[in-house]
PDB file of all heavy atoms in Angstrom:
ATOM      1  N   GLY H 101      90.869 105.326  90.915  1.00 97.00           N
ATOM      2  CA  GLY H 101      90.984 106.057  92.183  1.00 97.00           C
ATOM      3  C   GLY H 101      92.302 105.711  92.816  1.00 97.00           C
ATOM      4  O   GLY H 101      93.068 104.906  92.273  1.00 97.00           O
ATOM      5  N   SER H 102      92.581 106.289  93.982  1.00 97.00           N
ATOM      6  CA  SER H 102      93.795 105.901  94.711  1.00 97.00           C
ATOM      7  C   SER H 102      93.626 104.436  95.137  1.00 97.00           C
ATOM      8  O   SER H 102      92.520 103.885  95.066  1.00 97.00           O
ATOM      9  CB  SER H 102      93.969 106.784  95.952  1.00 97.00           C
ATOM     10  OG  SER H 102      92.938 106.468  96.865  1.00 97.00           O
ATOM     11  N   HIS H 103      94.686 103.819  95.605  1.00 98.00           N
ATOM     12  CA  HIS H 103      94.575 102.409  96.015  1.00 98.00           C
ATOM     13  C   HIS H 103      93.491 102.241  97.070  1.00 98.00           C
ATOM     14  O   HIS H 103      92.656 101.340  96.987  1.00 98.00           O
ATOM     15  CB  HIS H 103      95.912 101.894  96.536  1.00 98.00           C
ATOM     16  CG  HIS H 103      96.876 101.633  95.421  1.00 98.00           C
ATOM     17  ND1 HIS H 103      96.801 100.525  94.627  1.00 98.00           N
ATOM     18  CD2 HIS H 103      97.894 102.379  94.952  1.00 98.00           C
ATOM     19  CE1 HIS H 103      97.749 100.582  93.715  1.00 98.00           C
ATOM     20  NE2 HIS H 103      98.420 101.704  93.886  1.00 98.00           N
ATOM     21  N   ALA H 104      93.529 103.114  98.083  1.00 98.00           N
ATOM     22  CA  ALA H 104      92.556 102.975  99.175  1.00 98.00           C
ATOM     23  C   ALA H 104      91.137 103.185  98.660  1.00 98.00           C
ATOM     24  O   ALA H 104      90.228 102.409  98.967  1.00 98.00           O
ATOM     25  CB  ALA H 104      92.875 103.961 100.292  1.00 98.00           C
ATOM     26  N   GLN H 105      90.970 104.224  97.843  1.00 98.00           N
ATOM     27  CA  GLN H 105      89.610 104.512  97.336  1.00 98.00           C
ATOM     28  C   GLN H 105      89.096 103.353  96.483  1.00 98.00           C
ATOM     29  O   GLN H 105      87.970 102.893  96.657  1.00 98.00           O
ATOM     30  CB  GLN H 105      89.634 105.764  96.458  1.00 98.00           C
ATOM     31  CG  GLN H 105      89.657 107.048  97.213  1.00 98.00           C
ATOM     32  CD  GLN H 105      90.008 108.212  96.287  1.00 98.00           C
ATOM     33  OE1 GLN H 105      90.400 108.038  95.139  1.00 98.00           O
ATOM     34  NE2 GLN H 105      89.872 109.416  96.818  1.00 98.00           N
ATOM     35  N   GLN H 106      89.960 102.890  95.578  1.00 98.00           N
ATOM     36  CA  GLN H 106      89.523 101.842  94.655  1.00 98.00           C
ATOM     37  C   GLN H 106      89.219 100.539  95.403  1.00 98.00           C
ATOM     38  O   GLN H 106      88.190  99.896  95.202  1.00 98.00           O
ATOM     39  CB  GLN H 106      90.598 101.617  93.593  1.00 98.00           C
ATOM     40  CG  GLN H 106      90.153 100.760  92.448  1.00 98.00           C
ATOM     41  CD  GLN H 106      91.212 100.723  91.365  1.00 98.00           C
ATOM     42  OE1 GLN H 106      92.342 100.313  91.627  1.00 98.00           O
ATOM     43  NE2 GLN H 106      90.860 101.133  90.165  1.00 98.00           N
ATOM     44  N   THR H 107      90.139 100.170  96.309  1.00 98.00           N
ATOM     45  CA  THR H 107      89.964  98.923  97.066  1.00 98.00           C
ATOM     46  C   THR H 107      88.695  99.012  97.923  1.00 98.00           C
ATOM     47  O   THR H 107      87.884  98.074  97.966  1.00 98.00           O
ATOM     48  CB  THR H 107      91.210  98.663  97.942  1.00 98.00           C
ATOM     49  OG1 THR H 107      92.362  98.732  97.106  1.00 98.00           O
ATOM     50  CG2 THR H 107      91.167  97.304  98.611  1.00 98.00           C
ATOM     51  N   ALA H 108      88.531 100.137  98.588  1.00 98.00           N
ATOM     52  CA  ALA H 108      87.368 100.306  99.469  1.00 98.00           C
ATOM     53  C   ALA H 108      86.071 100.272  98.668  1.00 98.00           C
ATOM     54  O   ALA H 108      85.082  99.660  99.089  1.00 98.00           O
ATOM     55  CB  ALA H 108      87.484 101.625 100.238  1.00 98.00           C
ATOM     56  N   GLU H 109      86.074 100.928  97.527  1.00 98.00           N
ATOM     57  CA  GLU H 109      84.862 100.992  96.713  1.00 98.00           C
ATOM     58  C   GLU H 109      84.476  99.591  96.212  1.00 98.00           C
ATOM     59  O   GLU H 109      83.304  99.222  96.227  1.00 98.00           O
ATOM     60  CB  GLU H 109      85.120 101.944  95.532  1.00 98.00           C
ATOM     61  CG  GLU H 109      83.891 102.596  94.950  1.00 98.00           C
ATOM     62  CD  GLU H 109      82.986 103.260  95.970  1.00 98.00           C
ATOM     63  OE1 GLU H 109      83.464 104.076  96.773  1.00 98.00           O
ATOM     64  OE2 GLU H 109      81.768 102.940  95.969  1.00 98.00           O
ATOM     65  N   ILE H 110      85.507  98.821  95.799  1.00 98.00           N
ATOM     66  CA  ILE H 110      85.208  97.445  95.357  1.00 98.00           C
ATOM     67  C   ILE H 110      84.601  96.675  96.533  1.00 98.00           C
ATOM     68  O   ILE H 110      83.594  95.980  96.394  1.00 98.00           O
ATOM     69  CB  ILE H 110      86.485  96.731  94.843  1.00 98.00           C
ATOM     70  CG1 ILE H 110      87.055  97.447  93.619  1.00 98.00           C
ATOM     71  CG2 ILE H 110      86.193  95.256  94.514  1.00 98.00           C
ATOM     72  CD1 ILE H 110      88.446  97.002  93.210  1.00 98.00           C
ATOM     73  N   MET H 111      85.219  96.803  97.715  1.00 98.00           N
ATOM     74  CA  MET H 111      84.736  96.048  98.882  1.00 98.00           C
ATOM     75  C   MET H 111      83.293  96.423  99.210  1.00 98.00           C
ATOM     76  O   MET H 111      82.445  95.548  99.442  1.00 98.00           O
ATOM     77  CB  MET H 111      85.660  96.298 100.076  1.00 98.00           C
ATOM     78  CG  MET H 111      87.023  95.659  99.914  1.00 98.00           C
ATOM     79  SD  MET H 111      88.118  95.964 101.311  1.00 98.00           S
ATOM     80  CE  MET H 111      87.335  94.971 102.565  1.00 98.00           C
ATOM     81  N   LYS H 112      83.016  97.712  99.216  1.00 98.00           N
ATOM     82  CA  LYS H 112      81.659  98.160  99.567  1.00 98.00           C
ATOM     83  C   LYS H 112      80.631  97.594  98.594  1.00 98.00           C
ATOM     84  O   LYS H 112      79.573  97.113  98.980  1.00 98.00           O
ATOM     85  CB  LYS H 112      81.597  99.691  99.552  1.00 98.00           C
ATOM     86  CG  LYS H 112      82.031 100.305 100.880  1.00 98.00           C
ATOM     87  CD  LYS H 112      82.458 101.737 100.764  1.00 98.00           C
ATOM     88  CE  LYS H 112      81.386 102.686 100.315  1.00 98.00           C
ATOM     89  NZ  LYS H 112      81.943 104.072 100.190  1.00 98.00           N
TER      90      LYS H 112
END
Side-chain angles (χ1 to χ4, degrees):
S102 68
H103 285 283
Q105 281 167 350
Q106 191 173 59
T107 308
E109 205 51 52
I110 298 168
M111 290 179 70
K112 274 159 63 182

